[in-house]
């Protein structure tokens, strides 16, 4: 007898390859601190790092939403590469997806990442900031002001080893 069950008919435990639920359910054996097992001398460019496209795109309906999980949940699920779309307005940096405000600021995103890294010092979080909409140069300048001198942030042009970036936010840029 052949089964004609569809993807939607499957329970979560039967199909863990896709999830559009905001609830993060990790197996009991899951290691949130998966980077702990990476050799300290390994270059981060030699590691396959799971990431999300438009990491914070949680609002705006089907045309704008790319994610179901909050940033904290994504980090707990093992995501270590974040793609952030940032818009500068007045003296604040907002997280956007196109013209849709994602109900958070860049400062709040940094705070969430820092909280995660305080708990899981073996991990590193790679961040790509893509200036969105207008005043793109202003975004870069404001981000630079926020992170200048922060010892828990890596912004050097050299490719770091894991030992260099454990517990840190690694900013990636095109140039």
């Amino acid at each position: 007898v052949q089964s004609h069950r569809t993807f939607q008919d499957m329970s979560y435990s039967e199909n863990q390859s896709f999830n559009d639920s905001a609830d993060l359910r990790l197996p009991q054996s899951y290691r949130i601190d998966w980077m702990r097992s990476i050799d300290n001398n390994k270059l981060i460019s030699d590691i396959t790092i799971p990431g999300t496209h438009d990491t914070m795109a949680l609002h705006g309906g089907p045309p704008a939403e790319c994610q179901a999980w909050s940033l904290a949940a994504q980090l707990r699920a093992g995501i270590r590469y974040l793609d952030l779309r940032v818009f500068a307005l007045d003296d604040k940096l907002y997280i956007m997806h196109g013209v849709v405000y994602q109900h958070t600021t860049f400062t709040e995103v940094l705070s969430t990442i820092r909280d995660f890294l305080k708990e899981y010092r073996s991990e590193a979080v790679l961040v790509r900031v893509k200036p969105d909409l207008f005043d793109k140069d202003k975004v870069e300048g404001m981000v630079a002001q926020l992170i200048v001198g922060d010892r828990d942030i890596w912004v050097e042009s050299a490719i770091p080893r894991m030992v260099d970036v454990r517990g840190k936010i690694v900013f990636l840029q095109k140039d």
Side-chain angles (χ1 to χ4, degrees):
V1 176
Q2 189 174 24
S3 172
H4 294 306
R5 293 175 54 190
T6 66
F7 179 82
Q8 290 82 9
D9 294 332
M10 294 182 197
S11 73
Y12 177 77
S13 62
E14 293 174 304
N15 180 19
Q16 294 184 15
S17 63
F18 179 81
N19 177 32
D20 63 355
S21 168
D23 296 331
L24 175 63
R25 295 173 288 202
L26 298 173
Q28 199 167 21
S29 62
Y30 186 78
R31 297 240 2 210
I32 292 172
D33 60 347
W34 64 266
M35 291 180 121
R36 176 179 299 279
S37 64
I38 298 173
D39 184 290
N40 273 336
N41 292 313
K42 178 78 80 175
L43 293 172
I44 64 168
S45 59
D46 291 335
I47 304 166
T48 300
I49 298 178
T52 48
H53 167 76
D54 275 314
T55 300
M56 297 302 297
L58 295 160
H59 305 281
E65 292 173 16
C66 296
Q67 304 303 327
W69 292 336
S70 69
L71 176 56
Q74 289 181 51
L75 292 168
R76 294 185 86 68
I79 299 300
R80 298 294 181 269
Y81 171 86
L82 310 178
D83 172 32
L84 303 175
R85 311 304 168 100
V86 182
F87 174 64
L89 181 63
D90 298 326
D91 291 332
K92 214 169 200 178
L93 294 169
Y94 297 92
I95 303 297
M96 305 291 288
H97 184 209
V99 297
V100 180
Y101 173 54
Q102 294 302 311
H103 305 276
T104 194
T105 66
F106 184 70
T107 305
E108 292 168 329
V109 168
L110 286 180
S111 178
T112 300
I113 299 168
R114 283 184 174 118
D115 289 347
F116 175 79
L117 290 172
K118 282 179 190 167
E119 187 174 353
Y120 298 99
R121 297 297 299 168
S122 63
E123 307 304 288
V125 177
L126 285 64
V127 174
R128 173 185 179 242
V129 172
K130 182 178 180 194
D132 219 353
L133 302 170
F134 315 106
D135 290 332
K136 294 180 180 186
D137 290 337
K138 186 176 180 182
V139 169
E140 291 171 4
M142 290 175 70
V143 169
Q145 284 179 335
L146 275 174
I147 65 174
V148 70
D150 189 326
R151 295 168 29 135
D152 289 328
I153 291 183
W154 178 277
V155 291
E156 296 180 34
S157 60
I159 297 173
R161 298 171 299 145
M162 273 307 299
V163 70
D164 301 321
V165 295
R166 289 193 190 277
K168 294 183 180 182
I169 301 170
V170 180
F171 275 85
L172 307 174
Q173 54 270 6
K174 279 175 87 171
D175 302 326

